[in-house]
Amino acid sequence: MNRRHFIKSSAAASLAFSAYTLPSISVAGKTRPYRTALIGAGWWGTNILREAIAAGESKIVAMCDVDQSQLAKSYAELEKLTSDKPKKYGDFRELLSKEKPEIVIVATPDHWHPLITIAAVQQGAHVYVEKPISHTIYEGRAMVKAARDADRVVQVGTHRRVSPHNVSGMEFLKSGKAGKIGMVRAFVHYGGGPGEVKPDSEAPKGLDWNMWCGPAPLRPYNAAIHPRGFRSFLDYANGQLGDWGIHWLDQILWWTEEKYPKKVFSTGGRAIRQDNTDAPDHQVATYEFEDFTVSWEHRLFAGNNAEKGENVGCYFYGTEGTFHMGWQKGWTFYPTDSKKQIIHQDPQLNQPDDQNIKQLWADFLASIKAKKRSVCDIEIGHRSTNMALLGMLSLKLGRSVIWDGEKEIIVNDPEANKLLSREYRGEWKYPTV
């Protein structure tokens, strides 16, 4: 296919799906902005805060982080955008008690998401919580229960559910244009090497390391963990599958009418990395559904020019062709019939970091006003997180598991079911499920 035909086909696809419009917000009748607080003032939390301010319906009343340097940096960014003067906190419990926010953004490391989200909804706030929602499956179940009991809107930060090209691509898939899909391959591949071992050290001044670890195991401070390295440490996150994997596994659950897999198997390990981290540097997971099979794979080494195209996304393999749902390059459909034209849709992403938080925040506000569940409701985020957590659980066990998604248990496997939760440390109590 020549370039002229590809561009022509791309333009046609853009027109075909231009009817999709993003959620809009009506401010008619609004008397005051929502009292909004940020808990977790790092890089991504600041991205979310920026969009909350831009939407014009929040008064930022408080910011919280156990790392005072991160808090100061985020506060400085906020001062460029608004005249609000939020109070600064190091303990989310004090913030919730004193400020009584109506909206709480939870953008902490993964192991803190459950307790903060549950405390916020019980205090009466609506919550925007980052993905993955939890570190273990039963934590996620408790979060869903808490949101329902409190009748609060809880939006999960899987913003690809509102990205224009993901929405149009999903419409394409659900229309049947790709035919019957029998297999989906999700993947994230990045280059890298063995890395290096960083020695433990004293925590930097202004960082409450004990509070940072919270309910998770307390280990010596290491600069490889914080800031931004925690996802590769299994005490606090679930590696690449728990981080990137949830986005693409969520796309698969969005496409199918099935809510969960029946059987999961994963293998992988650390073939290359020789640093402080303990998450797998490569992993393959398979998910057996009723009508199709999913494979996940990631690799954090061997970046190369042999594998052309985008290094992230999902390939949906159908009887009429192969559909690639990507990120920075949009989506592309490759028909089985070579006489038919390739169809392509470009992305519409926001900066910084090529995301669509703005659109997801708009849906969040609209859902609060309409008293309805949001597009990335906590239960949706729970199921997608479960996909990633089941893959990690199988990897730890070294064998496959049979999943009863309705009861949320692993069938006839007491050893595996122990991994659906974990012990909390110190004063912290595991949430009731």
Side-chain angles (χ1 to χ4, degrees):
M1 182 182 193
N2 63 38
R3 182 175 179 273
R4 181 174 60 84
H5 283 163
F6 183 81
I7 293 172
K8 181 179 178 182
S9 182
S10 299
S14 298
L15 289 173
F17 296 103
S18 62
Y20 169 69
T21 55
L22 295 169
S24 61
I25 299 297
S26 171
V27 296
K30 182 173 70 67
T31 58
R32 61 177 178 78
Y34 296 101
R35 292 175 55 80
T36 300
L38 171 66
I39 301 176
W43 152 65
W44 200 255
T46 303
N47 273 350
I48 302 169
L49 184 68
R50 188 181 293 110
E51 296 300 348
I53 294 169
E57 299 196 51
S58 285
K59 177 180 176 60
I60 312 304
V61 297
M63 301 171 67
C64 178
D65 203 291
V66 299
D67 186 337
Q68 295 304 304
S69 66
Q70 286 202 157
L71 190 59
K73 185 177 180 180
S74 185
Y75 192 92
E77 176 68 16
L78 176 140
E79 288 185 307
K80 300 174 186 176
L81 304 172
T82 177
S83 61
D84 295 346
K85 300 295 182 183
K87 294 182 179 178
K88 302 174 187 176
Y89 289 89
D91 190 320
F92 72 93
R93 295 168 295 185
E94 185 182 7
L95 182 156
L96 293 175
S97 174
K98 290 184 177 180
E99 302 301 332
K100 301 291 191 295
E102 296 164 298
I103 289 177
V104 171
I105 300 165
V106 180
T108 61
D110 301 358
H111 67 288
W112 265 118
H113 291 174
L115 288 182
I116 298 174
T117 298
I118 291 169
V121 298
Q122 289 176 343
Q123 181 271 327
H126 303 285
V127 174
Y128 182 115
V129 60
E130 257 311 307
K131 57 78 206 164
I133 68 162
S134 60
H135 189 271
T136 63
I137 287 174
Y138 279 177
E139 289 172 324
R141 180 194 286 189
M143 293 167 78
V144 175
K145 182 179 185 299
R148 298 296 185 252
D149 288 348
D151 194 23
R152 299 291 85 184
V153 174
V154 180
Q155 180 84 287
V156 180
T158 44
H159 55 89
R160 283 169 180 80
R161 287 249 176 172
V162 295
S163 296
H165 80 271
N166 294 81
V167 172
S168 67
M170 207 54 61
E171 290 173 353
F172 185 96
L173 286 170
K174 291 185 176 185
S175 73
K177 291 183 176 68
K180 180 174 174 54
I181 293 168
M183 177 180 171
V184 187
R185 172 177 165 252
F187 60 97
V188 175
H189 294 147
Y190 284 106
E196 61 181 5
V197 175
K198 294 183 178 181
D200 295 336
S201 64
E202 293 294 323
K205 184 178 180 180
L207 170 61
D208 184 343
W209 183 242
N210 180 67
M211 188 64 169
W212 190 99
C213 293
L218 177 64
R219 57 189 295 169
Y221 172 78
N222 192 288
I225 304 174
H226 174 80
R228 290 185 67 169
F230 69 92
R231 295 193 185 280
S232 293
F233 291 82
L234 298 183
D235 281 338
Y236 311 114
N238 278 282
Q240 191 78 328
L241 181 53
D243 177 21
W244 252 120
I246 182 179
H247 278 298
W248 303 112
L249 297 172
D250 180 67
Q251 293 286 294
I252 296 166
L253 289 181
W254 184 15
W255 157 73
T256 181
E257 294 181 359
E258 297 185 46
K259 296 179 180 179
Y260 36 75
K262 300 186 304 176
K263 187 176 182 179
V264 181
F265 173 71
S266 182
T267 187
R270 293 174 59 83
I272 303 298
R273 281 199 167 182
Q274 300 175 24
D275 54 14
N276 301 70
T277 67
D278 57 4
D281 63 15
H282 70 286
Q283 187 174 3
V284 177
T286 57
Y287 299 86
E288 180 183 315
F289 286 79
E290 288 287 347
D291 293 328
F292 62 98
T293 300
V294 170
S295 69
W296 159 266
E297 61 182 65
H298 79 252
R299 185 184 68 245
L300 298 174
F301 54 86
N304 62 81
N305 295 320
E307 298 167 310
K308 295 182 180 180
E310 196 165 32
N311 64 323
V312 300
C314 298
Y315 281 108
F316 293 81
Y317 298 100
T319 53
E320 295 298 318
T322 297
F323 180 98
H324 174 234
M325 182 74 86
W327 173 29
Q328 293 167 316
K329 296 182 181 179
W331 64 258
T332 306
F333 177 64
Y334 304 90
T336 300
D337 186 346
S338 60
K339 296 179 182 178
K340 294 182 178 180
Q341 293 186 350
I342 293 172
I343 302 175
H344 176 78
Q345 177 81 6
D346 287 331
Q348 298 174 43
L349 303 169
N350 305 326
Q351 298 305 320
D353 301 312
D354 290 325
Q355 37 76 13
N356 289 105
I357 299 171
K358 183 185 299 294
Q359 291 84 351
L360 195 56
W361 187 266
D363 177 82
F364 181 45
L365 293 179
S367 299
I368 293 170
K369 294 171 185 176
K371 297 182 179 180
K372 66 179 182 66
R373 293 179 187 175
S374 55
V375 69
C376 296
D377 173 62
I378 184 64
E379 189 169 353
I380 292 172
H382 176 49
R383 292 189 192 125
S384 299
T385 298
N386 284 353
M387 288 271 285
L389 298 184
L390 286 168
M392 291 303 294
L393 187 150
S394 172
L395 179 71
K396 292 171 185 176
L397 288 171
R399 52 182 167 80
S400 62
V401 295
I402 307 298
W403 179 239
D404 183 333
E406 288 298 321
K407 296 180 180 178
E408 292 193 334
I409 61 171
I410 296 167
V411 179
N412 298 325
D413 197 334
E415 180 187 5
N417 281 313
K418 290 179 181 178
L419 298 180
L420 299 178
S421 63
R422 68 168 174 173
E423 293 292 326
Y424 272 8
R425 181 176 67 93
E427 66 183 292
W428 306 103
K429 290 181 171 48
Y430 197 87
T432 304
V433 296

